[in-house]
Amino acid sequence: MALKTTHPVLGARALNRATLDRQLLLRPASLGVTEAVEHLLGLQAQNTKPPYYALAARLDGFRPEQLSALMESREVARIVTMRSTVHTHTARDAVALRGLAQPGAIDRELALFVSRGGLDGVDLDRLADLARALVEERPRTPKELREELLPHWPGADPQSLSVAARCLLPLVQVTPRGLWGRGGKVALTTTDQWFDASAGRTADGAADLDETVLRYLGAFGPASVKDMQTWCGLTKLGPAFERLRPRLLVFQDERGTELFDLPDAPRPDEDTPAPPRFLPEFDNLLLSHADRTRVVPAELRGRTWTGNQAHRVFLLDGFLAGIWHLDEGKDRTTLTLGPFARVTRGERGALTSEAERTLQLMSPPGTPYDIVLAES
């Protein structure tokens, strides 16, 4: 009988510190904004402000105008990729990771709308051709797309038509949508149109899967096969990890799940200090593992959501410890902390310092502010 292979065990705190280090959350990183967005394989961007707060928590001296400038120059962009959700990616990753993610959650989302009957009788190839011509003529809002496509299939569900276009085509949300302090309606064009029109960029096709596994481990590892599948929305990634096994270290968690990692990746001691960090709603730190207990204690599962609304959260000692709200009034900003448990005097001081740092980075110079710690 073959003996079961055992690997070195990484407990929750060891996994926590390793992941925080990869996520640039143990200490402010000196990376440039483009390099950070690429290292992190994009930033969750279902709402417009989270990418800015995600970078503020991670980068030394970040200012929101830096990311806005990169969006205006088309070096980064907002596009549906991993898990069929909107992410902010570098131009290269917007093309490559969209191509990689397509056969996963994006195709499943399209199949769901087909199964509901909203696209009965719709020729999806023709819809893709028509939609491409429309958005490449000029950026179109989803409403405009629906209105243009509906005459071709008057019996179809209008929303299903625009969703199908978004699933079939790699559509970028063009600026000013997503710019700090400006914003605008969602308007869409293709990656070919948006990136080729700036600096002569060309589409290189889908990202190489094995290379993406290595990049994922560099940003989220050590991790299991299921962890990466949760992050990207793809399935059956086991063969890719097996191909790479000779190049990787293998650990296991306290339940015996195999965890893969890059040999030269940082794995700090589990007692390494982890300062408080303020994260936006939908931060990928909280969404990119099948087992989230490396950051979210089991007893706090579900505390970051109310209905369909995700909350901004903060970390203490590297783990989820509460939620925070920001009330940006005309003349004053108030940041309110809602811890899940009573905080010590030392934790209160550290949280206040990090809250002040966040507000000073993200608010116009000279804006007065209050920091309120609610009772747990």
Side-chain angles (χ1 to χ4, degrees):
M1 178 182 297
L3 295 176
K4 183 178 179 179
T5 302
T6 59
H7 305 289
V9 175
L10 294 175
R13 286 186 64 84
L15 285 173
N16 174 271
R17 294 312 194 254
T19 307
L20 293 181
D21 204 332
R22 317 291 171 85
Q23 283 285 298
L24 315 178
L25 289 167
L26 278 186
R27 64 197 68 83
S30 58
L31 290 177
V33 174
T34 304
E35 291 78 13
V37 173
E38 183 166 287
H39 167 74
L40 296 165
L41 289 96
L43 305 167
Q44 185 88 4
Q46 286 171 255
N47 297 334
T48 57
K49 289 187 177 181
Y52 294 91
Y53 281 96
L55 291 173
R58 291 168 165 89
L59 298 185
D60 187 20
F62 170 76
R63 293 295 303 176
E65 295 81 8
Q66 295 172 301
L67 180 58
S68 275
L70 292 171
M71 294 184 70
E72 288 192 286
S73 65
R74 307 188 188 187
E75 294 178 61
V76 301
R78 297 166 53 84
I79 184 173
V80 171
T81 55
M82 324 318 292
R83 304 184 298 276
S84 199
T85 57
V86 179
H87 279 68
T88 294
H89 286 295
T90 63
R92 171 181 174 271
D93 278 348
V95 174
L97 292 179
R98 169 58 190 239
L100 181 75
Q102 184 68 48
I106 298 173
D107 280 353
R108 289 197 298 274
E109 182 178 10
L110 176 60
L112 177 63
F113 275 82
V114 170
S115 70
R116 290 174 174 173
L119 295 168
D120 287 349
V122 175
D123 181 331
L124 294 179
D125 289 336
R126 183 166 176 246
L127 184 151
D129 289 341
L130 290 169
R132 178 182 290 277
L134 288 166
V135 299
E136 290 188 345
E137 178 186 39
R138 63 173 176 82
R140 309 271 180 158
T141 67
K143 180 176 183 292
E144 289 172 328
L145 266 179
R146 291 193 290 270
E147 291 173 348
E148 293 283 356
L149 294 171
L150 193 58
H152 297 274
W153 296 283
D157 170 57
Q159 182 185 7
S160 297
L161 292 173
S162 59
V163 170
R166 190 197 70 188
C167 290
L168 290 165
L169 299 172
L171 298 180
V172 172
Q173 294 186 4
V174 307
T175 53
R177 177 70 174 177
L179 297 182
W180 186 257
R182 291 175 58 186
K185 293 181 179 179
V186 173
L188 305 165
T189 191
T190 62
T191 52
D192 285 344
Q193 183 73 8
W194 190 244
F195 295 129
D196 285 352
S198 64
R201 296 188 182 98
T202 57
D204 294 322
D208 177 78
L209 177 57
D210 288 9
E211 176 191 350
T212 307
V213 171
L214 299 177
R215 291 183 64 195
Y216 170 77
L217 294 176
F220 295 96
S224 69
V225 175
K226 286 186 177 179
D227 286 332
M228 182 170 175
Q229 290 178 168
T230 297
W231 166 73
C232 65
L234 296 169
T235 59
K236 301 178 181 178
L237 296 187
F241 279 81
E242 290 304 318
R243 286 193 300 272
L244 292 167
R245 185 182 289 268
R247 299 170 54 185
L248 301 174
L249 296 182
V250 184
F251 301 93
Q252 65 185 41
D253 65 17
E254 293 170 325
R255 287 167 293 282
T257 302
E258 274 196 333
L259 303 171
F260 296 86
D261 205 8
L262 307 177
D264 58 351
R267 286 176 292 278
D269 185 273
E270 66 177 28
D271 293 324
T272 300
R277 291 290 182 257
F278 288 79
L279 300 178
E281 64 272 30
F282 307 115
D283 193 279
N284 272 335
L285 175 70
L286 304 178
L287 300 176
S288 301
H289 299 89
D291 181 358
R292 300 177 183 177
T293 56
R294 68 179 66 202
V295 178
V296 181
E299 66 272 17
L300 297 181
R301 182 180 179 182
R303 294 291 298 275
T304 63
W305 296 80
T306 300
N308 292 326
Q309 177 61 48
H311 299 299
R312 296 168 173 173
V313 305
F314 63 83
L315 309 179
L316 275 176
D317 189 29
F319 291 89
L320 174 69
I323 60 178
W324 61 283
H325 302 281
L326 200 61
D327 181 13
E328 298 175 278
K330 182 178 180 181
D331 300 316
R332 196 171 194 87
T333 295
T334 301
L335 190 156
T336 303
L337 300 168
F340 295 141
R342 188 173 298 277
V343 298
T344 67
R345 179 179 297 179
E347 290 171 335
R348 180 191 296 264
L351 281 169
T352 300
S353 295
E354 181 65 8
E356 289 177 341
R357 187 187 75 85
T358 302
L359 288 168
Q360 289 165 6
L361 285 175
M362 306 302 285
S363 301
T367 301
Y369 59 80
D370 297 308
I371 299 169
V372 178
L373 181 65
E375 293 296 328
S376 61

